[in-house]
Amino acid sequence: MTVTALLLRGARLPEGQVRDVLIEDGRVSAVAPAGQLPSIREEMDLSGFILLPAPAEPHAHLDKALTWDLAGAPPCDLPGAVAAWHGYAEQVTEEDVLVRARRALDELVANGATAVRTHADVLPGPDPLRGLRALLRLREELSERVALQIAVLHIEAPDEVLDEALELGADLLGGCPHLSEDPQAAVARALTIAERHGVGVDLHADEHLRPDPKDLLLLAQAVRERGFAHGATAGHCVGLGGLDPAEAARIAKEAAASGIGVVALPLTNLYLQGRDTPARTPRGLTAVRALLDAGVPLAGGGDNIRDPFNPVGRADPLETAGLLVVAGHLTLPEAVHAVTTGARTVLGLPAAGPYEGAIADLLAVRADSLSGAVGASYPDRIVFKGGRAVSRTTVTREAL
């Protein structure tokens, strides 16, 4: 029988208070000091846990996940990673993608994510949408545990292939304008196709450290000029982080005025970018502070999970939050916001968390503070989707 009411006892909220949290029909209906809410049939003791809004992963590549060893260790820069993936992608099958993506998605859910946006490559060969079909199957298979959004990712794929992908059920149109000979035309084409299907766009933007980032500004201007109303997201935006602060602030304000969400991806970009500048290495991280100051919806994402673009990554949004603290100099609350409420905002999802009226997508971590949850990244976790526990991780440690 489906549990429609659940009382979480003695949880510590992100702000530090210890509270009881009542969940009814998938939403938080009451929050009160510990011991003040009357007992109900279904209760769970969360003493010793901090209760956070469930993270959302705003930028994954589940079709590529867990292929680092399969594809061979590539040169550790973006062109080398692209070449290694393209070489391996020739032999990728629908079932191969399904098995690996399921493993990676299970890791993400166990670590707290109840919503994930993944990109799905248009693959080489006579069946370019085999990876997309696998992810569509996975979206249906795991729908009760995680909300999966799929953006079809391409570099100059034919219109008919992109039309077919969106008709099959892809949620958004992706793209990489900075890899196009004409980035402005690539942005315009993406918006035109997306408008035709009534979907949003999620573009890889300015994934380079050249001093002339264009994609985010082009997208902002095009969205505003067209009145594009289906939602636009820009991932990476690494080039923005290398600009003069005044110029970065100007572009950030343009993005804010156009309603674009930006996803910072520190794990992969700190790994890939700047290798050709060993002295005073520039950082592969967008201008997170300028974006926040401009009012841009900011999300933090994990990007690649042990594939040719990055051999590390634990599929853990709290790892991303930690990197935003260390590399981006965000505060702990800002970093947690970026991987929880900020990520949900960029994905177009309603607010979740241990607050009255919010969706009861929650993550309980055995920790007594945000610094413990993020800094130590304790593995003992309980994940709730719509008020129902969908994953529990319990670790036993022995000193011998």
Side-chain angles (χ1 to χ4, degrees):
M1 184 177 69
T2 301
V3 176
T4 58
L6 175 65
L7 181 57
L8 305 178
R9 292 282 193 189
R12 186 175 297 277
L13 302 192
E15 296 78 17
Q17 317 96 313
V18 176
R19 294 289 186 264
D20 291 345
V21 177
L22 179 62
I23 300 167
E24 296 180 293
D25 298 321
R27 286 185 179 271
V28 175
S29 60
V31 179
Q36 289 193 6
L37 294 177
S39 295
I40 65 172
R41 180 178 176 181
E42 297 289 342
E43 297 190 4
M44 184 181 297
D45 184 5
L46 288 185
S47 300
F49 284 82
I50 187 169
L51 190 61
L52 307 173
E57 173 51 68
H59 187 118
H61 289 271
L62 295 179
D63 56 342
K64 297 182 175 75
L66 310 177
T67 56
W68 171 264
D69 296 310
L70 297 171
C76 298
D77 57 16
L78 182 58
V82 170
W85 166 248
H86 284 173
Y88 181 75
E90 297 278 354
Q91 58 186 297
V92 163
T93 66
E94 182 175 332
E95 290 302 316
D96 170 39
V97 171
L98 182 66
V99 170
R100 289 185 290 96
R102 186 188 292 120
R103 283 180 56 198
L105 194 55
D106 281 344
E107 288 187 38
L108 280 162
V109 173
N111 284 323
T114 60
V116 174
R117 178 179 291 176
T118 181
H119 294 264
D121 274 27
V122 173
L123 294 169
D127 184 12
L129 300 181
R130 57 195 184 276
L132 171 63
R133 289 198 307 273
L135 295 176
L136 291 169
R137 290 167 59 187
L138 193 62
R139 183 175 69 185
E140 178 66 22
E141 176 187 326
L142 298 183
S143 61
E144 292 190 359
R145 300 181 66 215
V146 59
L148 184 62
Q149 299 179 358
I150 305 171
V152 59
L153 179 62
H154 73 103
I155 302 171
E156 309 296 352
D159 278 22
E160 55 267 27
V161 172
L162 301 179
D163 287 335
E164 182 182 355
L166 293 167
E167 289 163 5
L168 280 173
D171 300 284
L172 304 104
L173 182 63
C176 302
H178 57 283
L179 298 180
S180 171
E181 292 185 3
D182 187 342
Q184 185 171 14
V187 169
R189 179 178 178 235
L191 294 180
T192 296
I193 296 172
E195 281 179 325
R196 190 158 70 231
H197 291 270
V199 301
V201 298
D202 188 332
L203 304 181
H204 287 51
D206 300 317
E207 195 178 1
H208 58 78
L209 292 175
R210 298 190 298 272
D212 60 340
K214 300 176 181 176
D215 297 351
L216 180 58
L217 185 58
L218 290 173
L219 180 60
Q221 293 170 342
V223 164
R224 194 161 58 251
E225 289 168 2
R226 286 171 173 255
F228 184 77
H230 304 293
T233 303
H236 298 287
C237 301
V238 177
L240 193 67
L243 293 180
D244 173 87
E247 180 64 6
R250 182 185 74 82
I251 295 175
K253 289 176 182 177
E254 292 262 9
S258 299
I260 294 170
V262 172
V263 182
L265 300 159
L267 186 66
T268 291
N269 286 137
L270 289 171
Y271 173 76
L272 288 176
Q273 306 295 335
R275 290 176 178 272
D276 55 350
T277 313
R280 298 183 63 189
T281 302
R283 308 302 302 281
L285 182 65
T286 191
V288 289
R289 178 60 59 194
L291 291 165
L292 283 177
D293 288 348
V296 175
L298 178 70
D303 205 359
N304 304 91
I305 302 172
R306 306 191 296 280
D307 66 22
F309 293 77
N310 192 346
V312 299
R314 299 193 300 265
D316 185 356
L318 295 186
E319 179 184 31
T320 301
L323 284 167
L324 289 172
V325 171
V326 173
H329 292 170
L330 297 189
T331 66
L332 275 168
E334 287 172 335
V336 170
H337 186 278
V339 302
T340 58
T341 304
R344 290 182 66 89
T345 298
V346 169
L347 296 188
L349 299 173
Y355 309 107
E356 290 186 7
I359 298 293
D361 280 22
L362 305 164
L363 169 62
V365 182
R366 191 177 292 281
D368 58 7
S369 65
L370 281 182
S371 64
V374 175
S377 195
Y378 292 118
D380 283 47
R381 305 183 188 190
I382 307 170
V383 185
F384 301 88
K385 187 177 191 303
R388 183 175 68 89
V390 295
S391 178
R392 182 193 294 266
T393 301
T394 303
V395 174
T396 301
R397 178 177 292 173
E398 298 182 30
L400 303 176

